[in-house]
């Protein structure tokens, strides 16, 4: 039914995960603006590893550095930070879902407008960007990138409003989907969250200097104080006269992305007033309440499965042990001269801790299951280490629907839970038993009695199929003719 699986293929436990798209950071009024931004982006690296960029404003000039690769590869050098002079900066780490991984898609995106320049950084995905882009091109717009984020810049440029903040808001009122945005002009640092607050954004303070960031971990790294969350549907404007707040969309009930708690946000971040680490532990405890089986040891799939496994162990009373050891120094994959060496390569990144596993009934805990391609290799690795039973438990519900709000999810037909029922999935990964935390279980872990189906407390459509906004670009009558693209050859 499932066809042969080549267990000799080296694998990375992080191969089969949803990928968060992007982190944003901004600072206004500090002499080390670019260094603080580089540190903030470093703390947000888990939100995007493909590219990073920083734009500063220094007296009368904007300065930009954008690179493919990790923050540390490009922004750790003193001369780079010195080139990025100025007391204000915005920065971005990228993981592409819309637009290729090419330099012209690396953010911040910048435009010189009447009245001055503006640099924009976007986390999320606009679900009507392609439709708007097509209209803009028809009206003569010249797009510099293939990213959905550029549409905001184009609409700001076209706005008939006079003040930059009004032009920014005018553009946002035409956008659909999910976004956390930070923008920099010569005098202002602007932050905005979509009307439902799907993607996170927080406001911090560093000795009177306002900071905007995707997560609190980026405030912690620079010693900034957490002031508050930027609310859903809020536009905050930081300038020399303080922080102003606007709600141009009218107040609607927030529906933040629940996956930020499951996997995307760093465990040491506080999201929506909750410790991410604590929520994951509670998800593990709820999982044990729902689907525990007799066992000898609880083993997390590192690293993101660890907090849930601790919660599961505390709830079930079964000891928690590091049964899978991760090699943190893999770097470039080894050249394997022969098949037999290749087979060994499978243990390059992760290996089973045999003394912990051998002769034991093992419960493996992971945060989520997407295609199942990695889970079946993990089960095999634990069996090869001598486990008598292998039970697989996921601290989130089955992922049955694709995401269009800034998360790189495989198309629906590649999602294991969209293809198979529970028994078929169990057989596919080769576990003795398989179980997922229920949707209500995950809401209980968040402190509710369950999901409020009339007014859900979170965005959770990868589990429920309940998409919280219109998806204009996906609607039937849309046909986007692929335009010939400029390919950067240098
Ligand atoms: S589908 Fe919804 S809940 Fe899932 S990751 Fe995307 S925004 Fe979050």
């Amino acid at each position: 039914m499932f066809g042969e699986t080549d267990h000799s293929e080296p694998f990375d436990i992080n191969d089969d995960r949803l990928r968060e798209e992007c982190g944003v950071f901004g600072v206004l009024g500090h002499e080390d603006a670019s260094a603080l931004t580089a540190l903030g982006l470093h703390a947000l690296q888990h939100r995007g590893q493909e590219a990073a960029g920083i734009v500063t404003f220094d007296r009368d000039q904007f300065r930009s550095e954008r690179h493919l690769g990790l923050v540390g590869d490009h922004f750790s050098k003193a001369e780079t930070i010195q080139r990025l002079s100025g007391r204000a900066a915005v920065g971005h780490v990228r993981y592409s879902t819309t637009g290729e991984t090419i330099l012209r898609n690396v953010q911040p995106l910048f435009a010189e407008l009447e009245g001055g320049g503006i640099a924009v950084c976007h986390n999320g995905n606009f679900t009507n960007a392609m439709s708007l882009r097509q209209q803009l091109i028809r009206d003569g717009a010249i797009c510099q990138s293939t990213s959905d984020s550029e549409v905001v810049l184009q609409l700001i440029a076209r706005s008939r409003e006079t003040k930059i903040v009004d032009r920014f808001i005018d553009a946002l009122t035409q956008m659909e989907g999910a976004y956390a945005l930070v923008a920099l002009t010569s005098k202002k640092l602007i932050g905005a969250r979509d009307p439902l607050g799907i993607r996170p954004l927080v406001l911090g303070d560093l000795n009177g200097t306002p900071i905007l960031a995707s997560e609190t971990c980026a405030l912690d790294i620079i010693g900034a104080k957490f002031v508050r969350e930027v609310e859903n549907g809020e536009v905050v404007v930081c300038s020399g006269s303080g922080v102003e707040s606007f709600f141009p969309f009218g107040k609607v009930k927030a529906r933040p992305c629940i996956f930020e708690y499951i996997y995307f946000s760093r465990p040491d971040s506080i999201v929506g007033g909750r410790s991410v680490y604590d929520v994951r532990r509670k998800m593990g405890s709820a999982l044990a309440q729902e689907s525990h089986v007799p066992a000898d040891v609880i083993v997390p799939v590192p690293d993101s499965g660890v907090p849930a496994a601790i919660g599961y162990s505390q709830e079930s009373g079964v000891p928690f042990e590091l049964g899978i050891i991760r090699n943190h120094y893999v770097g470039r994959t080894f050249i394997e001269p022969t098949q037999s060496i290749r087979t060994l390569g499978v243990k390059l990144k992760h290996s089973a801790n045999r003394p912990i596993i051998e002769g034991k009934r093992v419960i493996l805990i992971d945060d989520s299951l997407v295609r199942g391609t990695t889970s079946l290799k993990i089960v095999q690795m634990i069996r090869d280490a001598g486990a008598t039973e292998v039970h697989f438990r996921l601290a989130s519900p089955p992922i049955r629907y694709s995401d269009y709000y800034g998360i790189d999810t495989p198309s629906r037909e590649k999602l294991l839970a969209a293809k198979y029922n529970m028994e078929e999935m169990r057989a596919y990964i080769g576990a003795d038993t398989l179980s997922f935390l229920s949707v209500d279980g995950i809401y209980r872990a968040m402190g509710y009695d369950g999901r409020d189906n009339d007014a859900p407390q979170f965005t959770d459509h990868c589990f429920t199929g309940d998409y919280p906004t219109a998806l204009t670009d996906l609607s039937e009558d849309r046909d986007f003719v692929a335009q010939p693209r400029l390919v950067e050859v240098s």
Side-chain angles (χ1 to χ4, degrees), residues 354-430:
R354 184 174 287 275
I356 295 289
I357 303 287
E358 197 157 30
K360 304 273 179 46
R361 296 167 298 168
V362 176
I363 296 182
L364 283 167
I365 307 283
D366 202 354
D367 59 271
S368 56
L369 186 152
V370 184
R371 288 170 283 230
T373 45
T374 305
S375 307
L376 66 87
K377 291 185 176 177
I378 297 170
V379 170
Q380 190 58 50
M381 181 169 75
I382 298 299
R383 283 202 192 287
D384 292 350
T388 54
E389 292 174 20
V390 182
H391 304 279
F392 213 103
R393 295 288 178 273
L394 286 306
S396 60
I399 299 172
R400 293 199 168 92
Y401 302 88
S402 292
D403 167 274
Y404 300 107
Y405 298 104
I407 309 301
D408 184 20
T409 38
S411 54
R412 199 150 182 252
E413 64 280 358
K414 293 207 182 86
L415 297 173
L416 196 73
K419 288 189 291 190
Y420 301 136
N421 63 29
M422 198 58 76
E423 173 43 31
E424 289 164 339
M425 285 196 279
R426 182 205 63 71
Y428 177 83
I429 66 170

Side-chain angles (χ1 to χ4, degrees), residues 18 198-199 257-259 264 402-403 405 407 459-462:
L18 293 189
I198 296 174
R199 301 266 76 90
C257 161
I258 200 158
F259 228 95
F264 299 141
S402 292
D403 167 274
Y405 298 104
I407 309 301
T459 290
D460 58 12
H461 53 280
C462 43

Side-chain angles (χ1 to χ4, degrees), residues 48-318:
Q49 298 88 37
E50 285 182 356
I54 297 178
V55 167
T56 62
F57 181 75
D58 183 11
R59 287 182 292 266
D60 56 2
Q61 269 186 345
F62 288 89
R63 297 167 184 276
S64 172
E65 287 258 352
R66 302 182 299 162
H67 298 280
L68 299 178
L70 299 176
V71 177
D73 297 346
H74 302 287
F75 294 97
S76 54
K77 301 188 189 74
E79 59 270 23
T80 309
I81 296 300
Q82 273 145 23
R83 279 199 300 271
L84 287 164
S85 56
R87 295 178 58 78
V90 287
H92 186 268
V93 283
R94 180 170 200 261
Y95 183 87
S96 60
T97 50
T98 310
E100 301 94 314
T101 305
I102 47 176
L103 202 53
R104 62 195 177 107
N105 283 341
V106 180
Q107 298 181 27
L109 299 177
F110 181 80
E112 202 57 75
L113 307 176
E114 188 217 352
I118 185 168
V120 171
C121 306
H122 172 211
N123 167 210
N125 192 48
F126 297 117
T127 52
N128 63 342
M130 298 303 280
S131 317
L132 288 169
R133 180 188 168 91
Q134 216 171 26
Q135 187 53 49
L136 286 162
I137 290 173
R138 232 179 262 129
D139 299 347
I142 300 170
C143 291
Q144 300 299 321
S145 79
T146 59
S147 138
D148 63 314
S149 313
E150 186 185 350
V151 171
V152 168
L153 218 45
Q154 295 279 354
L155 292 175
I156 295 170
R158 270 172 169 62
S159 171
R160 288 285 150 260
E161 299 290 338
T162 47
K163 294 201 188 108
I164 187 65
V165 173
D166 298 338
R167 296 171 80 167
F168 188 80
I169 291 174
D170 181 21
L172 290 189
T173 53
Q174 300 165 63
M175 303 313 300
E176 185 193 274
Y179 55 84
L181 290 161
V182 294
L184 182 68
T185 69
S186 57
K187 296 192 180 63
K188 299 179 194 305
L189 173 67
I190 306 169
R193 273 182 91 180
D194 64 80
L196 295 170
I198 296 174
R199 301 266 76 90
L201 190 65
V202 296
L203 175 64
D205 179 280
L206 181 62
N207 310 325
T209 297
I211 310 280
L212 289 169
S214 291
E215 292 182 37
T216 58
C217 60
L219 303 178
D220 300 342
I221 195 172
I222 61 170
K225 211 173 62 245
F226 170 69
V227 176
R228 64 179 177 82
E229 301 253 322
V230 176
E231 292 179 41
N232 58 304
E234 182 181 9
V235 175
V236 286
V237 180
C238 312
S239 66
S241 46
V243 178
E244 294 168 277
S245 173
F246 305 86
F247 287 90
F249 315 105
K251 275 308 269 172
V252 294
K253 182 176 179 186
R255 284 190 70 178
C257 161
I258 200 158
F259 228 95
E260 290 285 346
Y261 294 95
I262 296 167
Y263 177 66
F264 299 141
S265 291
R266 239 171 63 169
D268 56 338
S269 281
I270 309 291
V271 177
R274 297 178 179 87
S275 144
V276 172
Y277 179 82
D278 192 43
V279 168
R280 288 178 189 168
R281 221 162 23 127
K282 289 184 177 138
M283 289 172 181
S285 151
L287 185 60
Q289 288 161 8
E290 286 186 1
S291 61
H292 184 48
V293 285
D296 306 307
V297 65
I298 307 297
V299 171
V301 175
D303 295 331
S304 51
V306 170
I310 291 171
Y312 191 108
S313 168
Q314 289 166 342
E315 181 68 36
S316 65
V318 178

